[in-house]
Every structure is written in structure tokens, then in C-alpha cells.
Amino acid sequence: MQRLPGIINIYYVLASSLMASITQKALADAPVGVFADTFLIPHIGDAICEMETQFDNNDTLEKVKLSFSTTSQLPAREHLAFVIQTVDGKQYLIGTTDKPFPVIKAWIL
């Protein structure tokens, strides 16, 4: 399992507003641009992003887990994707316009 260090910003974007070809570009190792409105999620403490690669029936499955605490409420009825920015200025997209959409688990304290 790999862990992405130094997350400084987390944004959400409506999955339906992402480009339809974003999955194919990512699979071809082409740069992927997010040309949709992004919404900053203020987070408290350290955010953690872990990625695990699994092989199943000659196919590669990547699972990503993003964990963070926030006082903001996310749009619960929408399919979301996330953009995370690290301290070195790199950005990563979690999610696409296609299924499976990210599963969001929220606990209200």
C-alpha cells in the first residue's frame, strides 16, 4: 500500500462535470485536466490518501482511500470526485465520470 504524503488542499468536483474521456487519458498515462468547478473542502488535521493495486482476472484494480476531517458538509446526493493537492504542488484526481464512483462515508460528531 502506498501513502501520499503532504496533502495541503482537498477539493470536490461533481463527477458529471468531468470530461467523458478522462478515464481513457489516465489509462494511456496522458495528462488529465479538470476543467470543471472545484470546491475547496477545509480539513482539520492531517489528510491521508492511500492507494492499493490489486490484480484480478488479468485486470488491474486500483483502490484509493482518502481520509480527512472537516466541518463542511458535502453534497450527499451527488456523485463526487476529489482533487488533492500536495505540498510539492502536484494534484491528483480520485474518481471519474464513470462507475464505480467514490464511496463516501461520513460520520457526524
Side-chain angles (χ1 to χ4, degrees), residues 23-31:
T23 302
Q24 289 79 15
K25 286 185 176 188
L27 290 172
D29 288 329

Side-chain angles (χ1 to χ4, degrees), residues 12-53:
Y12 76 83
V13 61
L14 300 179
S16 61
S17 64
L18 295 172
M19 294 184 320
S21 62
I22 206 162
T23 302
Q24 289 79 15
K25 286 185 176 188
L27 290 172
D29 288 329
V32 174
V34 175
F35 303 106
D37 292 332
T38 57
F39 303 93
L40 180 66
I41 304 170
H43 67 279
I44 302 162
D46 291 333
I48 299 170
C49 183
E50 299 174 324
M51 185 183 89
E52 181 179 358
T53 303

Side-chain angles (χ1 to χ4, degrees), residues 63-79:
K63 289 177 135 184
V64 177
K65 180 178 179 182
L66 175 63
S67 303
F68 60 91
S69 298
T70 184
T71 56
S72 295
Q73 197 165 11
L74 301 177
R77 302 203 189 289
E78 300 286 341
H79 294 294

Side-chain angles (χ1 to χ4, degrees), residues 50-65:
E50 299 174 324
M51 185 183 89
E52 181 179 358
T53 303
Q54 298 175 343
F55 301 99
D56 185 32
N57 293 332
N58 296 326
D59 200 11
T60 302
L61 175 66
E62 290 183 346
K63 289 177 135 184
V64 177
K65 180 178 179 182

